Amino acid sequence: MTKKIFFTLANGFRLGVFIGLLMSIIFSYFYSGSAYTPMPPDFLEKFSNELMAYVISVLLWGAIGLIFSATNFIFTSTDWSITKMTVVHAFASYILFLPIAFYLNWVDFNRIGMLVFTGIYIVIYIVMWTISMIRAKKEINSINSRIH
C-alpha cells in the first residue's frame, strides 16, 4: 500500500510539472508570441533571477500535481457517497491549490480575481468530473455486458 501511495504521488508530481510546462508554453505563445515566458512578469519580480523563478515554478507545478493526486485518495479510501466524495475533493483541492495560484500570480488578490478564479475552477472541475463519470459508466456497462 505504501508503494502505491508513493507511486501515485510521484506520478502526480510528474504530471503537474508536465501540465505546468505545457500551459507555460501555451500562455507564452499567446502572451508574448515569440519568447518563452514561463510565468507572469509579476512572479518574476519576486526573484533575483529568471532561473530561480523557473525552478520555483516547476516545484510548484509539481506541488499542484501532488495536491490533486493526494486528494484523489478520497475516491478510493472512503465509503462515502459519490456526491460527498466529489464535494470534499473539490473543496479540499481548491483550498490547497488556491495559495499556490496566488503565489504564482495566477490570481489577483481581490474580489474579482477570486470570483474569476473560482468560476474557472468550478467549470474545469465540472468538465473533468463529467468526463470521469462518463468513463466510469462505460466501464460499468462493459463489465455488466460481460457478466450477462
Side-chain angles (χ1 to χ4, degrees), residues 71-93 125 129 133:
T71 56
N72 270 344
F73 287 117
I74 291 169
F75 292 108
T76 59
S77 303
T78 65
D79 58 354
W80 296 340
S81 70
I82 190 69
T83 303
K84 183 175 181 179
M85 287 187 287
T86 301
V87 169
V88 169
H89 179 267
F91 185 73
S93 299
Y125 195 92
W129 182 83
M133 293 306 290

Side-chain angles (χ1 to χ4, degrees), residues 8-26:
T8 299
L9 295 176
N11 284 334
F13 187 88
R14 284 195 300 258
L15 185 59
V17 170
F18 175 75
I19 291 171
L21 182 59
L22 186 63
M23 295 300 290
S24 74
I25 292 168
I26 291 168

Side-chain angles (χ1 to χ4, degrees), residues 3-106:
K3 264 188 179 178
K4 182 181 178 181
I5 292 170
F6 174 77
F7 284 116
T8 299
L9 295 176
N11 284 334
F13 187 88
R14 284 195 300 258
L15 185 59
V17 170
F18 175 75
I19 291 171
L21 182 59
L22 186 63
M23 295 300 290
S24 74
I25 292 168
I26 291 168
F27 286 121
S28 289
Y29 180 77
F30 288 109
Y31 182 71
S32 66
S34 61
Y36 177 57
T37 315
M39 65 279 307
D42 294 348
F43 182 75
L44 281 172
E45 292 172 7
K46 295 179 183 180
F47 301 93
S48 59
N49 61 62
E50 288 184 15
L51 178 60
M52 185 53 66
Y54 185 71
V55 168
I56 297 300
S57 290
V58 169
L59 292 174
L60 291 173
W61 297 336
I64 292 167
L66 276 173
I67 288 167
F68 284 96
S69 292
T71 56
N72 270 344
F73 287 117
I74 291 169
F75 292 108
T76 59
S77 303
T78 65
D79 58 354
W80 296 340
S81 70
I82 190 69
T83 303
K84 183 175 181 179
M85 287 187 287
T86 301
V87 169
V88 169
H89 179 267
F91 185 73
S93 299
Y94 177 83
I95 293 300
L96 295 169
F97 178 48
L98 186 61
I100 296 173
F102 278 133
Y103 188 73
L104 287 167
N105 289 68
W106 292 352

Side-chain angles (χ1 to χ4, degrees), residues 65 102 112 128 140:
F102 278 133
I112 299 296
M128 292 177 67
I140 289 168

